[in-house]
Amino acid sequence: MPFAIDELFLWLVLVGFLAQMIDGALGMAYGVVSTSAMLALGIPPAIASANVHTAEIFTTAASGTSHAIARNVDWSIFWRLALFGSIGAVIGATFLSHADTSFIRPFIAAYLLLMGLIVIWKALRPPSAPPQIRKVGLLGFCGGIADAIGGGGWGPVVTSNLIARGGEARKMVGTVNIAEFVVTVSASAAFLVALGPNFGKAALALLIGGLAAAPIAAWTASRVPRKALTLIVGAAICLVSVYNLWRAFS
């Protein structure tokens, strides 16, 4: 589809850059930020989510590779997240393509706000022996559904839970990012089957901005102290969740 590189295109490149900086460093919010911008332009939720996931195929590949090089990945958790997250993403994308799911978003936002508060509490409490991280498959499945339906949410759902359960912030961010690549490919394939190809101006702009930010974000994640990164993750989840609740009820 031909198009001109106009002011809107450049703004979307900036959106993609900032969204990937947040997602690559904190493990969340690329889809939330990008989808919010597209919805503001009047793009239907299913089309917006499909375009965001198209761009994320490349940005998550770049981000995941950067985290792997920086040794920010727990491979035993990765495989379970990738498998079950992909199943959830296919179900969520198929459902979104055929139904109005706006009523679900306030419940997801409220849940994420609670998880953000738990993450902050984990960062501020005295150190203790971390609990065993269990039910990773179920977590990935729920995260995949939330991500496909909301155009974003894989990071907030999965990263917040893993850190709240005692996972090391740096490794959980990297693991979630590289697993997101597999989940994104699965969601994009499901959208392609349900809606047909949806490659456009927004997807390309988000892609350009995201690719530029990915290595910078991974470098940041590997050098920020655990407590500081955990507090930032928790605060980011709370802010995004409050914003999403305000949008849902306004």
CSV table of all heavy atoms in Angstrom, one decimal, residues 74-111:
chain,number,residue,atom,x,y,z
A,74,ASP,N,16.0,-16.8,31.3
A,74,ASP,CA,15.9,-18.1,32.0
A,74,ASP,C,15.2,-19.0,31.0
A,74,ASP,O,14.0,-19.0,30.8
A,74,ASP,CB,15.1,-18.0,33.3
A,74,ASP,CG,15.0,-19.3,34.1
A,74,ASP,OD1,14.9,-20.3,33.5
A,74,ASP,OD2,14.9,-19.2,35.3
A,75,TRP,N,16.0,-19.9,30.4
A,75,TRP,CA,15.5,-20.7,29.3
A,75,TRP,C,14.4,-21.8,29.8
A,75,TRP,O,13.5,-22.2,29.0
A,75,TRP,CB,16.6,-21.4,28.6
A,75,TRP,CG,17.5,-20.4,27.8
A,75,TRP,CD1,18.7,-20.0,28.2
A,75,TRP,CD2,17.1,-19.7,26.6
A,75,TRP,NE1,19.2,-19.0,27.3
A,75,TRP,CE2,18.2,-18.9,26.3
A,75,TRP,CE3,16.0,-19.7,25.8
A,75,TRP,CZ2,18.2,-18.0,25.2
A,75,TRP,CZ3,16.0,-18.9,24.7
A,75,TRP,CH2,17.1,-18.0,24.4
A,76,SER,N,14.5,-22.2,31.0
A,76,SER,CA,13.5,-23.2,31.5
A,76,SER,C,12.1,-22.6,31.6
A,76,SER,O,11.1,-23.3,31.3
A,76,SER,CB,13.9,-23.8,32.8
A,76,SER,OG,13.9,-22.8,33.8
A,77,ILE,N,12.1,-21.3,31.9
A,77,ILE,CA,10.8,-20.6,32.0
A,77,ILE,C,10.3,-20.2,30.6
A,77,ILE,O,9.2,-20.3,30.3
A,77,ILE,CB,10.9,-19.4,32.9
A,77,ILE,CG1,11.1,-19.8,34.4
A,77,ILE,CG2,9.6,-18.5,32.8
A,77,ILE,CD1,11.3,-18.7,35.3
A,78,PHE,N,11.3,-19.9,29.7
A,78,PHE,CA,11.0,-19.4,28.4
A,78,PHE,C,10.1,-20.4,27.6
A,78,PHE,O,9.1,-20.1,27.0
A,78,PHE,CB,12.3,-19.2,27.6
A,78,PHE,CG,12.1,-19.2,26.1
A,78,PHE,CD1,11.5,-18.1,25.5
A,78,PHE,CD2,12.4,-20.3,25.4
A,78,PHE,CE1,11.3,-18.1,24.1
A,78,PHE,CE2,12.3,-20.3,24.0
A,78,PHE,CZ,11.7,-19.2,23.3
A,79,TRP,N,10.5,-21.7,27.6
A,79,TRP,CA,9.8,-22.7,26.8
A,79,TRP,C,8.4,-22.9,27.2
A,79,TRP,O,7.5,-23.0,26.4
A,79,TRP,CB,10.6,-24.1,26.9
A,79,TRP,CG,11.9,-24.0,26.3
A,79,TRP,CD1,13.1,-24.1,26.9
A,79,TRP,CD2,12.2,-23.9,24.9
A,79,TRP,NE1,14.2,-24.0,26.0
A,79,TRP,CE2,13.6,-23.9,24.8
A,79,TRP,CE3,11.4,-23.7,23.8
A,79,TRP,CZ2,14.3,-23.8,23.5
A,79,TRP,CZ3,12.1,-23.6,22.5
A,79,TRP,CH2,13.5,-23.6,22.4
A,80,ARG,N,8.1,-22.8,28.5
A,80,ARG,CA,6.7,-23.0,29.0
A,80,ARG,C,5.9,-21.7,28.6
A,80,ARG,O,4.7,-21.8,28.2
A,80,ARG,CB,6.7,-23.2,30.5
A,80,ARG,CG,7.1,-24.6,30.9
A,80,ARG,CD,7.2,-24.8,32.4
A,80,ARG,NE,8.4,-24.1,32.9
A,80,ARG,CZ,8.7,-24.0,34.2
A,80,ARG,NH1,7.8,-24.4,35.1
A,80,ARG,NH2,9.8,-23.4,34.6
A,81,LEU,N,6.5,-20.6,28.8
A,81,LEU,CA,5.8,-19.3,28.4
A,81,LEU,C,5.5,-19.3,26.9
A,81,LEU,O,4.3,-18.9,26.5
A,81,LEU,CB,6.6,-18.1,28.8
A,81,LEU,CG,6.7,-17.7,30.2
A,81,LEU,CD1,7.6,-16.5,30.4
A,81,LEU,CD2,5.4,-17.5,30.9
A,82,ALA,N,6.4,-19.6,26.1
A,82,ALA,CA,6.3,-19.6,24.7
A,82,ALA,C,5.2,-20.5,24.2
A,82,ALA,O,4.3,-20.1,23.3
A,82,ALA,CB,7.6,-19.9,24.0
A,83,LEU,N,5.2,-21.7,24.7
A,83,LEU,CA,4.2,-22.7,24.2
A,83,LEU,C,2.8,-22.4,24.6
A,83,LEU,O,1.9,-22.2,23.7
A,83,LEU,CB,4.6,-24.1,24.8
A,83,LEU,CG,3.6,-25.2,24.5
A,83,LEU,CD1,3.4,-25.4,23.0
A,83,LEU,CD2,4.0,-26.5,25.2
A,84,PHE,N,2.6,-22.2,25.9
A,84,PHE,CA,1.2,-21.9,26.3
A,84,PHE,C,0.7,-20.5,26.0
A,84,PHE,O,-0.5,-20.3,25.8
A,84,PHE,CB,1.1,-22.2,27.8
A,84,PHE,CG,1.2,-23.6,28.2
A,84,PHE,CD1,2.4,-24.2,28.6
A,84,PHE,CD2,0.1,-24.5,28.1
A,84,PHE,CE1,2.5,-25.5,28.9
A,84,PHE,CE2,0.2,-25.8,28.4
A,84,PHE,CZ,1.4,-26.4,28.8
A,85,GLY,N,1.7,-19.6,25.9
A,85,GLY,CA,1.3,-18.2,25.5
A,85,GLY,C,0.8,-18.2,24.1
A,85,GLY,O,-0.1,-17.4,23.7
A,86,SER,N,1.4,-19.0,23.2
A,86,SER,CA,1.0,-19.0,21.8
A,86,SER,C,-0.4,-19.6,21.7
A,86,SER,O,-1.2,-19.1,20.9
A,86,SER,CB,2.0,-19.9,21.0
A,86,SER,OG,3.3,-19.3,21.0
A,87,ILE,N,-0.7,-20.6,22.5
A,87,ILE,CA,-2.0,-21.2,22.4
A,87,ILE,C,-3.1,-20.1,22.9
A,87,ILE,O,-4.1,-19.9,22.2
A,87,ILE,CB,-2.1,-22.4,23.4
A,87,ILE,CG1,-1.2,-23.5,22.8
A,87,ILE,CG2,-3.6,-22.9,23.4
A,87,ILE,CD1,-1.1,-24.7,23.8
A,88,GLY,N,-2.8,-19.4,23.9
A,88,GLY,CA,-3.7,-18.3,24.4
A,88,GLY,C,-3.8,-17.2,23.4
A,88,GLY,O,-4.9,-16.7,23.2
A,89,ALA,N,-2.7,-16.8,22.7
A,89,ALA,CA,-2.7,-15.8,21.7
A,89,ALA,C,-3.6,-16.1,20.5
A,89,ALA,O,-4.4,-15.3,20.0
A,89,ALA,CB,-1.3,-15.5,21.3
A,90,VAL,N,-3.5,-17.4,20.1
A,90,VAL,CA,-4.4,-17.8,19.0
A,90,VAL,C,-5.9,-17.7,19.3
A,90,VAL,O,-6.7,-17.2,18.6
A,90,VAL,CB,-4.0,-19.2,18.5
A,90,VAL,CG1,-5.0,-19.8,17.5
A,90,VAL,CG2,-2.6,-19.2,17.9
A,91,ILE,N,-6.2,-18.2,20.5
A,91,ILE,CA,-7.6,-18.1,21.0
A,91,ILE,C,-8.0,-16.7,21.1
A,91,ILE,O,-9.1,-16.3,20.7
A,91,ILE,CB,-7.7,-18.9,22.3
A,91,ILE,CG1,-7.5,-20.4,22.1
A,91,ILE,CG2,-9.1,-18.7,22.9
A,91,ILE,CD1,-7.4,-21.2,23.4
A,92,GLY,N,-7.2,-15.8,21.7
A,92,GLY,CA,-7.6,-14.4,21.9
A,92,GLY,C,-7.8,-13.7,20.6
A,92,GLY,O,-8.7,-12.9,20.5
A,93,ALA,N,-6.9,-13.9,19.7
A,93,ALA,CA,-6.9,-13.2,18.4
A,93,ALA,C,-8.2,-13.6,17.6
A,93,ALA,O,-8.8,-12.8,17.0
A,93,ALA,CB,-5.7,-13.5,17.6
A,94,THR,N,-8.5,-14.9,17.6
A,94,THR,CA,-9.7,-15.4,16.9
A,94,THR,C,-10.9,-14.8,17.6
A,94,THR,O,-11.9,-14.4,16.8
A,94,THR,CB,-9.7,-16.9,17.0
A,94,THR,OG1,-8.5,-17.5,16.4
A,94,THR,CG2,-10.9,-17.5,16.2
A,95,PHE,N,-11.0,-14.8,18.9
A,95,PHE,CA,-12.1,-14.2,19.6
A,95,PHE,C,-12.3,-12.7,19.3
A,95,PHE,O,-13.4,-12.3,19.0
A,95,PHE,CB,-11.9,-14.5,21.1
A,95,PHE,CG,-13.1,-13.9,21.9
A,95,PHE,CD1,-14.3,-14.4,21.8
A,95,PHE,CD2,-12.8,-12.8,22.8
A,95,PHE,CE1,-15.4,-13.9,22.6
A,95,PHE,CE2,-13.9,-12.3,23.6
A,95,PHE,CZ,-15.1,-12.9,23.5
A,96,LEU,N,-11.2,-12.0,19.3
A,96,LEU,CA,-11.3,-10.5,19.1
A,96,LEU,C,-11.7,-10.2,17.7
A,96,LEU,O,-12.5,-9.3,17.4
A,96,LEU,CB,-9.9,-9.9,19.3
A,96,LEU,CG,-9.8,-8.4,19.1
A,96,LEU,CD1,-10.7,-7.6,20.1
A,96,LEU,CD2,-8.4,-7.9,19.3
A,97,SER,N,-11.4,-11.1,16.7
A,97,SER,CA,-11.7,-10.8,15.3
A,97,SER,C,-13.2,-11.0,15.1
A,97,SER,O,-13.7,-10.5,14.1
A,97,SER,CB,-10.9,-11.8,14.4
A,97,SER,OG,-9.5,-11.6,14.6
A,98,HIS,N,-13.9,-11.6,16.0
A,98,HIS,CA,-15.3,-11.9,15.8
A,98,HIS,C,-16.2,-11.4,16.9
A,98,HIS,O,-17.4,-11.7,16.9
A,98,HIS,CB,-15.5,-13.4,15.6
A,98,HIS,CG,-14.8,-14.0,14.4
A,98,HIS,ND1,-13.6,-14.6,14.5
A,98,HIS,CD2,-15.2,-14.1,13.1
A,98,HIS,CE1,-13.2,-15.0,13.3
A,98,HIS,NE2,-14.1,-14.7,12.5
A,99,ALA,N,-15.7,-10.7,17.8
A,99,ALA,CA,-16.6,-10.2,18.9
A,99,ALA,C,-16.1,-8.9,19.5
A,99,ALA,O,-15.0,-8.4,19.3
A,99,ALA,CB,-16.5,-11.2,20.1
A,100,ASP,N,-17.1,-8.2,20.2
A,100,ASP,CA,-16.8,-6.9,20.8
A,100,ASP,C,-16.3,-7.2,22.2
A,100,ASP,O,-17.1,-7.7,23.1
A,100,ASP,CB,-18.0,-6.0,20.8
A,100,ASP,CG,-17.8,-4.7,21.6
A,100,ASP,OD1,-16.7,-4.4,21.9
A,100,ASP,OD2,-18.8,-4.0,21.8
A,101,THR,N,-15.1,-6.9,22.6
A,101,THR,CA,-14.5,-7.3,23.9
A,101,THR,C,-14.2,-6.1,24.7
A,101,THR,O,-13.4,-6.2,25.7
A,101,THR,CB,-13.3,-8.1,23.7
A,101,THR,OG1,-12.3,-7.4,22.9
A,101,THR,CG2,-13.6,-9.4,22.9
A,102,SER,N,-14.8,-5.0,24.5
A,102,SER,CA,-14.5,-3.8,25.2
A,102,SER,C,-14.8,-3.9,26.7
A,102,SER,O,-14.2,-3.3,27.6
A,102,SER,CB,-15.2,-2.5,24.7
A,102,SER,OG,-16.6,-2.8,24.7
A,103,PHE,N,-15.8,-4.8,27.0
A,103,PHE,CA,-16.2,-4.9,28.4
A,103,PHE,C,-15.2,-5.6,29.3
A,103,PHE,O,-15.2,-5.6,30.5
A,103,PHE,CB,-17.6,-5.7,28.5
A,103,PHE,CG,-17.5,-7.1,28.0
A,103,PHE,CD1,-17.3,-8.1,28.9
A,103,PHE,CD2,-17.6,-7.4,26.7
A,103,PHE,CE1,-17.2,-9.5,28.5
A,103,PHE,CE2,-17.5,-8.7,26.2
A,103,PHE,CZ,-17.3,-9.8,27.1
A,104,ILE,N,-14.3,-6.3,28.6
A,104,ILE,CA,-13.2,-7.1,29.3
A,104,ILE,C,-12.1,-6.2,29.9
A,104,ILE,O,-11.5,-6.5,30.9
A,104,ILE,CB,-12.6,-8.2,28.4
A,104,ILE,CG1,-13.7,-9.2,28.0
A,104,ILE,CG2,-11.5,-8.9,29.1
A,104,ILE,CD1,-13.3,-10.3,27.1
A,105,ARG,N,-11.9,-5.1,29.2
A,105,ARG,CA,-10.7,-4.3,29.5
A,105,ARG,C,-10.6,-3.7,30.9
A,105,ARG,O,-9.6,-3.7,31.5
A,105,ARG,CB,-10.6,-3.2,28.5
A,105,ARG,CG,-10.2,-3.7,27.1
A,105,ARG,CD,-10.1,-2.6,26.0
A,105,ARG,NE,-9.9,-3.2,24.7
A,105,ARG,CZ,-9.8,-2.5,23.6
A,105,ARG,NH1,-10.0,-1.2,23.7
A,105,ARG,NH2,-9.6,-3.1,22.4
A,106,PRO,N,-11.8,-3.2,31.5
A,106,PRO,CA,-11.7,-2.7,32.8
A,106,PRO,C,-11.3,-3.8,33.9
A,106,PRO,O,-10.5,-3.5,34.8
A,106,PRO,CB,-13.1,-2.3,33.1
A,106,PRO,CG,-13.7,-2.0,31.8
A,106,PRO,CD,-13.1,-3.0,30.9
A,107,PHE,N,-11.7,-5.0,33.7
A,107,PHE,CA,-11.3,-6.1,34.6
A,107,PHE,C,-9.8,-6.4,34.5
A,107,PHE,O,-9.1,-6.7,35.5
A,107,PHE,CB,-12.1,-7.4,34.3
A,107,PHE,CG,-13.6,-7.2,34.5
A,107,PHE,CD1,-14.5,-6.9,33.4
A,107,PHE,CD2,-14.1,-7.2,35.8
A,107,PHE,CE1,-15.8,-6.7,33.6
A,107,PHE,CE2,-15.5,-7.0,36.0
A,107,PHE,CZ,-16.3,-6.8,34.9
A,108,ILE,N,-9.3,-6.4,33.2
A,108,ILE,CA,-7.9,-6.7,33.0
A,108,ILE,C,-7.0,-5.5,33.7
A,108,ILE,O,-6.0,-5.8,34.4
A,108,ILE,CB,-7.5,-6.8,31.5
A,108,ILE,CG1,-8.2,-8.0,31.0
A,108,ILE,CG2,-6.0,-6.8,31.3
A,108,ILE,CD1,-8.0,-8.2,29.5
A,109,ALA,N,-7.5,-4.3,33.5
A,109,ALA,CA,-6.8,-3.1,34.0
A,109,ALA,C,-6.8,-3.2,35.6
A,109,ALA,O,-5.8,-2.9,36.2
A,109,ALA,CB,-7.4,-1.8,33.6
A,110,ALA,N,-7.9,-3.5,36.2
A,110,ALA,CA,-8.0,-3.6,37.6
A,110,ALA,C,-7.1,-4.7,38.2
A,110,ALA,O,-6.4,-4.5,39.2
A,110,ALA,CB,-9.4,-3.9,38.1
A,111,TYR,N,-7.0,-5.8,37.5
A,111,TYR,CA,-6.1,-6.9,37.9
A,111,TYR,C,-4.6,-6.5,37.8
A,111,TYR,O,-3.8,-6.7,38.7
A,111,TYR,CB,-6.3,-8.1,37.0
A,111,TYR,CG,-5.3,-9.2,37.1
A,111,TYR,CD1,-5.2,-10.0,38.2
A,111,TYR,CD2,-4.3,-9.3,36.1
A,111,TYR,CE1,-4.2,-11.0,38.3
A,111,TYR,CE2,-3.3,-10.3,36.1
A,111,TYR,CZ,-3.2,-11.1,37.2
A,111,TYR,OH,-2.2,-12.0,37.3
